[in-house]
Amino acid sequence: QVQLVESGGDLVQPGGSLRLSCAASGSIFRINTLGWSRQAPGKQREFVADIRSGGGAVYTDSVKGRFTISPINANNTGYLQMNSLTPEDTAVYYCDASVTTTSRSTSMYRGQGTQVTVSS
């Protein structure tokens, strides 16, 4: 019913920047929250940032001041701007969203992920 598709992952040098996109489609009535999580090799998936409809953004400590999450826009696309990247940011990044569908049911959805590699 709802699909999330991430894009924008790439290989970047330390200190570089990337902007990840999350495009939502399907039977969407309202996107309640949009978030990003990541999973590095051999590690558990961790929260990165999220933003609620009409609310503020929350970030994990390690990305504060470097990452900026944007809410879903009129095209149902949200972004994660990532600056001053370090090798510790290397991971698969996932878009997570709480979505109310046109049938008025609310569920969490996750995209397939996009790979971010920070290396010289």
Side-chain angles (χ1 to χ4, degrees), residues 96-115:
D96 305 292
S98 168
V99 179
T100 299
T101 64
T102 52
S103 63
R104 299 305 190 267
S105 66
T106 299
S107 300
M108 288 297 299
Y109 295 86
R110 176 173 297 146
Q112 83 290 347
T114 186
Q115 176 69 49

Side-chain angles (χ1 to χ4, degrees), residues 1 4-5 13 17-18 21 25 27 41 69 74 80-81 86 89 102 104-105 120:
Q1 285 183 316
L4 302 178
V5 178
Q13 292 188 342
S17 298
L18 283 175
S21 301
S25 63
S27 305
I69 187 171
L80 182 68
Q81 177 67 41
T86 74
D89 295 316
T102 52
R104 299 305 190 267
S105 66
S120 55

Side-chain angles (χ1 to χ4, degrees), residues 33-45:
T33 63
L34 174 69
W36 292 87
S37 57
R38 65 187 180 186
Q39 186 165 20
K43 295 185 178 181
Q44 290 188 333
R45 187 172 59 86

